[in-house]
Amino acid sequence: MMTEHGSLLRSICAPNPSPMTAEGTLTYMLGETSIAVIDPGPASDQHLAAILAAVPQGGRITHIFVTHAHLDHSALARPLAAATQAPILAAGPWDMGRSTLPDLGGGEGVDHGFIPDIALPDGAVIETEDWRITAHHSPGHMSNHMNVAWQDVEFCGDIVMDWSSTLISPPDGHLGAYLTSLAAIEARGPKRLLPAHGAAIESPRARCAELRAHRAMRHGQILSALTATPRSLNSLRAEIYPDLQTLLHPMAERNILAHLIGLIEENQAKADSPLSAESGFSRI
């Protein structure tokens, strides 16, 4: 289904609904003559056809922007590029800036083959007769995450959502980087955020502040749950998310791990073995 957001902007929802993607990934199309596609979405012939059908008469897709290398955002980039001859632009490949932490499992939905045609440095500007876009690196949810700013709007991928907090799964995600990215969005002051899942965010500063406060609360909660006796991720998740549906347990444990790594970096916690998802964690 296509939704109009004004004369130059429309979105198409991909057919990939899930507890992690809401109704599905939103692919944005900006422009009438030179069209930017932002987050082409998952590998889906149906969605590819919908994107191509939404190109207005006299227009063509000239740029494909990918906010980050998760399969529900990036998998369709290469087929769309092949169909349109448009380059793929992103902050960098899937592992750009990835943490040097040991193998911690995770890797949920990572597009391990993703390499853009053009890597955009932070602050890079791309301009056509229809639009002027600025790239803002925004790691945290994933190390190569990038927001795309146009006028007073930012297309924010998965870094900010209205219906849910963001999954941070180390080593691809990092709590400290996420908090820094939220603060940077607040400082830039866009009037509207358009995430790749769920509704538009009409009060970006308030939502970013709310998410930072939520993470601070969770950080303190996890620290309070630690004792001198090492605790597993499973036991911490059972205490901190007692009513969470079973399907979401793995994601909750990844978020807890991100906070635990943050506490280790702050010298407030330690692992009882070389750091892994199977470690026991205790308070220092």
Side-chain angles (χ1 to χ4, degrees):
M1 180 180 69
M2 186 171 72
T3 302
E4 297 283 347
H5 300 269
S7 61
L8 286 180
L9 180 63
R10 50 212 168 273
S11 63
I12 303 172
C13 189
N16 62 328
S18 78
M20 296 300 293
T21 60
E23 292 83 4
T25 302
L26 292 170
T27 295
Y28 293 96
M29 300 180 68
L30 174 64
E32 290 292 334
T33 303
S34 296
I35 298 166
V37 172
I38 301 162
D39 278 340
S44 163
D45 291 342
Q46 176 186 339
H47 193 51
L48 176 61
I51 292 170
L52 295 175
V55 175
Q57 186 174 4
R60 66 185 184 93
I61 293 171
T62 59
H63 298 75
I64 301 166
F65 292 89
V66 175
T67 62
H68 63 292
H70 274 151
L71 289 165
D72 60 315
H73 297 252
S74 61
L76 199 61
R78 194 55 64 188
L80 182 60
T84 62
Q85 306 308 306
I88 300 167
L89 303 93
W94 73 274
D95 57 351
M96 169 197 168
R98 190 173 187 258
S99 169
T100 56
L101 289 167
D103 182 11
L104 297 171
E108 301 83 1
V110 173
D111 186 351
H112 290 101
F114 179 77
I115 300 174
D117 298 315
I118 300 171
L120 296 175
D122 187 36
V125 175
I126 307 294
E127 190 168 7
T128 71
E129 63 269 32
D130 281 0
W131 44 260
R132 185 177 191 269
I133 277 175
T134 304
H136 295 294
H137 290 186
S138 50
H141 170 66
M142 194 169 181
S143 59
N144 79 331
H145 200 289
M146 175 185 79
N147 284 14
V148 175
W150 165 66
Q151 298 182 354
D152 57 3
V153 172
E154 280 195 29
F155 302 89
C156 59
D158 285 357
I159 200 78
V160 183
M161 295 178 287
D162 189 52
W163 61 283
S164 174
S165 59
T166 295
L167 174 66
I168 302 174
S169 181
D172 301 296
H174 187 273
L175 177 63
Y178 168 74
L179 295 173
T180 298
S181 292
L182 289 181
I185 294 169
E186 287 183 77
R188 288 193 296 271
K191 292 185 179 179
R192 198 177 197 218
L193 293 176
L194 293 177
H197 308 285
I201 297 163
E202 306 295 348
S203 300
R205 281 197 173 112
R207 181 57 176 158
C208 288
E210 181 181 35
L211 289 169
R212 288 195 295 110
H214 171 75
R215 289 294 177 176
M217 177 278 295
R218 189 71 75 203
H219 210 56
Q221 186 182 24
I222 292 168
L223 179 60
S224 296
L226 294 177
T227 64
T229 302
R231 298 193 61 181
S232 68
L233 284 178
N234 183 273
S235 71
L236 288 166
R237 187 264 311 149
E239 176 179 336
I240 292 165
Y241 298 91
D243 302 318
L244 190 67
Q245 58 179 300
T246 303
L247 178 67
L248 297 177
H249 285 182
M251 281 66 83
E253 291 183 12
R254 301 308 299 179
N255 270 328
I256 291 172
L257 180 60
H259 281 276
L260 288 166
I261 290 170
L263 290 168
I264 291 170
E265 292 171 346
E266 296 164 7
N267 202 33
Q268 296 194 79
K270 62 182 180 180
D272 66 353
S273 62
L275 183 63
S276 76
E278 286 70 47
S279 296
F281 297 90
S282 59
R283 191 168 185 158
I284 293 177

